[in-house]
Amino acid sequence: MAQMSTLTILVYPDKRLKKPALPVTTFDDSLRQTVSQLFLKMAEDQGVGLAATQVGLSLRIFVMDCSHDQSRPFCMINPQILSASDEQISEEGCLSFPGIYIKVKRANKVTVQYQNEWGETHTLTTENLEAHCIQHEMEHLDGIVFIDHLSPLKRQWTLKKLAKTQRLAG
Ligand SMILES: [Zn+2]
């Protein structure tokens, strides 16, 4: 049997989702263990991105794989956007908002600098889904969730829908 993740994804309105995460300063085996747990959980729940904030860890880490065959995995630690351009509307879901999809305006192309799980610095320039995903996950690290982009009225409507989905899921 495959290894199961020990992590649990927090569902909105869990308050921990609104808390900005702290920078990672120690790149040790325990950090790398956390990173592999994040990858495992993301795959289990069939997400394209997962931030440490979403599993209750206050660390500036997210994992992402926007491919269809798990062939483009990225782990970004202490990420920073160096440049962003071409705003577009993207339709997004979020593992912390099961069943909810909303349209968000994002830069369609970004260059991001980050550290990997060994503390090495890298940059990535990417566009479309990957670029949107990076921005979505980086917002999680600042305690921002995607419904924060909505007008108050649309947000209220979305939260009602989320509550209904949660009741149906038991
Ligand atoms: Zn999310």
Side-chain angles (χ1 to χ4, degrees):
M1 195 182 142
Q3 197 193 352
M4 294 278 287
S5 162
T6 53
L7 303 173
T8 306
I9 294 182
L10 307 178
V11 172
Y12 193 86
D14 192 296
K15 282 192 174 64
R16 286 169 287 180
L17 289 167
K18 301 296 287 179
K19 230 182 99 192
L22 300 171
V24 172
T25 52
T26 310
F27 295 82
D28 58 4
D29 284 347
S30 141
L31 173 77
R32 287 183 281 278
Q33 186 61 35
T34 300
V35 169
S36 28
Q37 285 292 320
L38 285 169
F39 272 118
L40 204 56
K41 189 66 192 166
M42 179 174 70
E44 271 174 21
D45 289 42
Q46 298 177 330
V48 294
L50 180 63
T53 328
Q54 290 178 274
V55 296
L57 296 172
S58 180
L59 291 169
R60 302 190 77 82
I61 308 173
F62 72 84
V63 294
M64 135 181 123
D65 191 334
C66 295
S67 69
H68 295 293
D69 51 4
Q70 297 188 8
S71 60
R72 263 180 83 76
F74 287 99
C75 162
M76 298 200 177
I77 301 178
N78 302 327
Q80 278 183 306
I81 301 265
L82 300 181
S83 69
S85 58
D86 296 343
E87 279 204 324
Q88 281 203 359
I89 303 285
S90 76
E91 191 173 55
E92 303 181 2
C94 179
L95 293 175
S96 295
F97 292 79
I100 301 292
Y101 296 89
I102 63 169
K103 292 189 166 82
V104 182
K105 197 189 264 181
R106 304 269 188 207
N108 203 45
K109 188 174 179 182
V110 297
T111 298
V112 61
Q113 185 180 70
Y114 61 95
Q115 285 167 290
N116 67 8
E117 61 269 50
W118 302 94
E120 298 158 344
T121 302
H122 290 275
T123 57
L124 174 73
T125 298
T126 188
E127 51 192 4
N128 301 323
L129 181 57
E130 248 175 24
H132 305 153
C133 185
I134 288 168
Q135 293 163 82
H136 178 118
E137 299 311 326
M138 280 182 67
E139 284 184 350
H140 275 304
L141 304 182
D142 287 328
I144 297 167
V145 288
F146 69 165
I147 59 162
D148 293 345
H149 289 273
L150 298 175
S151 68
L153 198 67
K154 269 192 184 163
R155 194 180 313 143
Q156 212 172 35
W157 181 84
T158 305
L159 288 176
K160 260 186 210 157
K161 196 173 155 191
L162 179 67
K164 206 181 279 177
T165 314
Q166 287 302 98
R167 268 202 305 279
L168 288 176

